[in-house]
Structures are given as structure tokens and as C-alpha cells.
Amino acid sequence: MTASTPPPPHAHRSETLHIVYNTDAAYLTLVTASAISAIRQASTPESIVIHILDCGLSDEDWGKFSAIVCAQGSSTAAYRHKIEMASLSAFRAWHGSLAAYARLFLPTLLPEVDWCLYVDGDTLFTDDPAKVLACRAEDVAIVGPEDKASPQSRAWFAKQGFQKDWSHYFCSGFMLINLAWFRATDAARWCMDFLHSHPDAPFPDQDALNICCEGHIRLFPTGWGVLSERMATCERPGLIHYVVDLPTKMRFRWRDGFRDVTAVWVNFARVALGMSVRESCGIPGWQWALGRAYNHALRVAVTIVGHTPFGRRWGRMEEFRDLFIPRKTRRWLLSRRLWTARWHGE
């Protein structure tokens, strides 16, 4: 791998937050949205440094991304690090791509940085990203959001003889990484050796990181890295992870139409990036309006049925309630002010 720029001159400043994304051209729209949401939500955008692990961008792609970052009117810096994808060819593709493995190069790519925040592109910040720095500790290797390990993963770990505290199994799509710890323990090399030796791991690099960092894992507070399908139980999210409801691949579902959590992304794209729903999601405006109306009607119907004797007895009632974000949270997330005003600390 190679870095196209030297380390930023303010890398030693403790207040600096280094946010890292990896992407190719296919995911650049999502990454751009996530990065701009971080800048918009930051209490001090000038203290943010955006790093892009370039897994297949053209110079034109990079130019467009840089221009959008500059257009935010802050002094947020952005750096491009070109990844030699051939060095990852021995690993198993994940969702048709090898880009996820590029984050294992971070201890080397950012030699002057002690901590960085790695973020998947299918995310949206709804709170000040600098707040996660309070989770740092010298003996912590990674801070991540709690993930529910599948029975498949648990069985695979047991078969391989790996001991794992499942209460501290994290999702690798959003991680505060102690790069100094990784360098001191040569943990990135261990992870790569693991991937070569265990190509059948259910969630390859995520499983490698969970095993490697066992005993040095901390979980984020609730709401940081919350999965989009679990939004009904989150009162104040800090970062939404669109694992299921990918906005750029949105589809109408008879179960709930176009969901509130997707509307949050659409609203952000409209307010912060000036994009119509067709531009951001590929859906005609009329279809979006009908899908949202359908969602609102279902919410009313579920609320009414939930207060009837049948609804109170029906075992699946809670399942349908969980399709909708609570009213107070929904109003906050869908407000234009979320992306246009300094609301932090309210």
C-alpha cells in the first residue's frame, strides 16, 4: 500500500479526530454523505481530518470528493491513501469486494496517529463525532458497537477452539482504533495471518479483530453505531449504520413502505448536499411520497390496533411497533435544523 500524502502536520494534536473511510467508486456517494454528516455534526470541524483509503478511485472521483468537503466552509482536511489491491488478493472477497481489508493497513498508513475512528460508508452521523474520544483508554485496543453474534459464528468459534466473551463482540463497521496498541503488539500482522489460516471465518476481518483484541475491547454507549433496523429502541442515536436499509438501494416494502430511518438519510441528502430523492436514491419523487404516506398510515393503524384488546393480546404486536421510530426521536432526526444549526449539547 502507499500513501499519496505525508502525515498531516497536526497529527500529534490530542484534540484532532482522524476519521477513516475505505471506498471504491461504487461506494463513494455513501462515503461522501457520511463524511459530510461528520463535518456538519462536529462541534469543531477544523479539528477533523478525513482519510480515504482509495481502493479504486479515479483522480476525477477524488477531485469531486475534495470539492464537496471544501464546500462545507470549514478547514476540515482530507487525505487520500492509495491501496495496492493486489496485496489483498489472497483474501476472500466480502460482498464482492476486498476493500474491507484495507483498514488493517492503518497502523502503518498513519504512523504518527495514535487513535483513529474507522467508519463504514453506509453510515450517518447524527451527533458530534468527537464525543467518541471519551471512550479511549490505554489498555483498550478497539471501541466498537455491540453486535449480536450469529449462531453460525458461535459454532465456528467453538469448533476452532477460540475463547470469546460474546458480551463484547463488536461490529467492525464503526471502530475507534488504538493504532499505538496495534503497532506495539503487531496486531495487524496477526490479523492478516489469521485471515490466511482461516479463510472460512463467517465474518473474516471482523472475526479476526474480535479474537485479536479479546480482553482489550470496550463497547460504545448505546446509539453509537446503532443498526438501522434497531432504531425503534434507540432514543438518541449518535451514528446510524445502514446495514439493511441501504439508501442507495432502497426498495418499497409492503410491510412498512419507505421507513423513517431511510427518510433521515434522504432528508440529509436534500438539506446538506442539495440532492433530490431521485439523485440520492434513484427513486422518483412521486413514488417516495406515496411510500412515505403508506408508512405514516401504517404507523397510525398499528397505534390504534395496539390500544385494542386484540392488539394487547396479539403476540406479534411488538414486532410491528418496532418498525417505527418513536415520535420524539423521529421529529428530531427529520428536522432540517439537525443539519443546519449548531445544536450540540442541547
Side-chain angles (χ1 to χ4, degrees):
M1 71 281 187
T2 58
S4 60
T5 60
H10 49 319
H12 290 291
R13 286 169 47 188
S14 60
E15 70 272 23
T16 301
L17 175 60
H18 296 269
I19 303 180
V20 181
Y21 296 91
N22 62 358
T23 189
D24 54 20
Y27 281 87
L28 188 57
T29 296
L30 288 168
V31 166
T32 301
S34 180
I36 299 310
S37 74
I39 296 170
R40 290 275 179 136
Q41 293 298 318
S43 53
T44 55
E46 66 277 5
S47 69
I48 290 180
V49 179
I50 303 291
H51 298 272
I52 298 296
L53 306 186
D54 177 357
C55 297
L57 300 179
S58 66
D59 290 341
E60 182 181 2
D61 291 332
W62 173 249
K64 290 178 180 178
F65 175 82
S66 300
I68 293 175
V69 170
C70 291
Q72 300 308 302
S74 70
S75 55
T76 300
Y79 295 89
R80 178 188 188 185
H81 306 271
K82 291 188 177 182
I83 303 298
E84 296 295 339
M85 298 305 291
S87 64
L88 303 172
S89 60
F91 298 139
R92 188 180 97 212
W94 183 247
H95 294 298
S97 173
L98 296 171
Y101 301 107
R103 51 194 166 186
L104 297 177
F105 294 145
L106 283 172
T108 304
L109 281 174
L110 305 178
E112 303 297 323
V113 178
D114 287 342
W115 288 84
C116 74
L117 184 64
Y118 171 83
V119 190
D120 272 356
D122 55 345
T123 55
L124 201 66
F125 282 92
T126 53
D127 201 347
D128 184 359
K131 289 183 178 180
V132 303
L133 293 176
C135 298
R136 291 175 296 180
E138 186 176 347
D139 63 339
V140 170
I142 281 183
V143 185
E146 181 181 4
D147 200 1
K148 304 296 183 185
S150 67
Q152 177 191 12
S153 289
R154 291 173 182 257
W156 187 88
F157 271 59
K159 182 179 179 181
Q160 301 299 323
F162 291 118
Q163 299 298 314
K164 177 62 189 170
D165 175 4
W166 294 106
S167 69
H168 281 66
Y169 183 81
F170 63 87
C171 172
S172 63
F174 181 59
M175 302 179 290
L176 185 61
I177 306 174
N178 187 343
L179 297 178
W181 185 91
F182 268 71
R183 285 189 289 267
T185 60
D186 202 19
R189 172 54 54 192
W190 188 96
C191 288
M192 291 184 184
D193 290 343
F194 170 91
L195 291 169
H196 284 298
S197 302
H198 300 86
D200 61 334
F203 297 91
D205 64 312
Q206 177 169 296
D207 288 338
L209 289 166
N210 268 278
I211 295 171
C212 176
C213 300
E214 182 68 7
H216 300 276
I217 296 169
R218 174 178 288 183
L219 299 180
F220 279 122
T222 301
W224 285 99
V226 60
L227 301 184
S228 52
E229 67 267 29
R230 299 175 188 167
M231 282 289 293
T233 60
C234 183
E235 181 177 349
R236 194 79 168 184
L239 177 124
I240 304 171
H241 193 174
Y242 288 87
V243 174
V244 173
D245 307 272
L246 196 64
T248 53
K249 295 183 179 180
M250 197 182 345
R251 295 291 183 272
F252 177 87
R253 300 187 305 189
W254 285 108
R255 188 176 65 162
D256 54 0
F258 291 137
R259 304 180 65 189
D260 291 332
V261 69
T262 308
V264 175
W265 198 92
V266 170
N267 190 51
F268 160 80
R270 179 170 52 245
V271 174
L273 302 178
M275 300 174 72
S276 67
V277 66
R278 181 184 287 275
E279 291 170 327
S280 62
C281 302
I283 291 177
W286 65 266
Q287 186 176 343
W288 171 253
L290 286 177
R292 289 298 291 153
Y294 180 83
N295 181 274
H296 295 321
L298 279 179
R299 182 187 300 112
V300 172
V302 168
T303 301
I304 292 173
V305 172
H307 286 85
T308 65
F310 168 77
R312 286 191 287 268
R313 294 193 306 268
W314 191 31
R316 295 188 61 189
M317 195 68 235
E318 202 61 33
E319 174 186 334
F320 278 88
R321 285 199 182 101
D322 285 348
L323 295 174
F324 306 101
I325 300 174
R327 182 171 180 269
K328 182 179 179 181
T329 303
R330 184 174 69 252
R331 290 183 62 185
W332 164 61
L333 288 172
L334 293 177
S335 68
R336 183 181 182 86
R337 185 166 176 257
L338 178 62
W339 308 112
T340 58
R342 293 288 182 210
W343 56 270
H344 311 287
E346 290 184 1

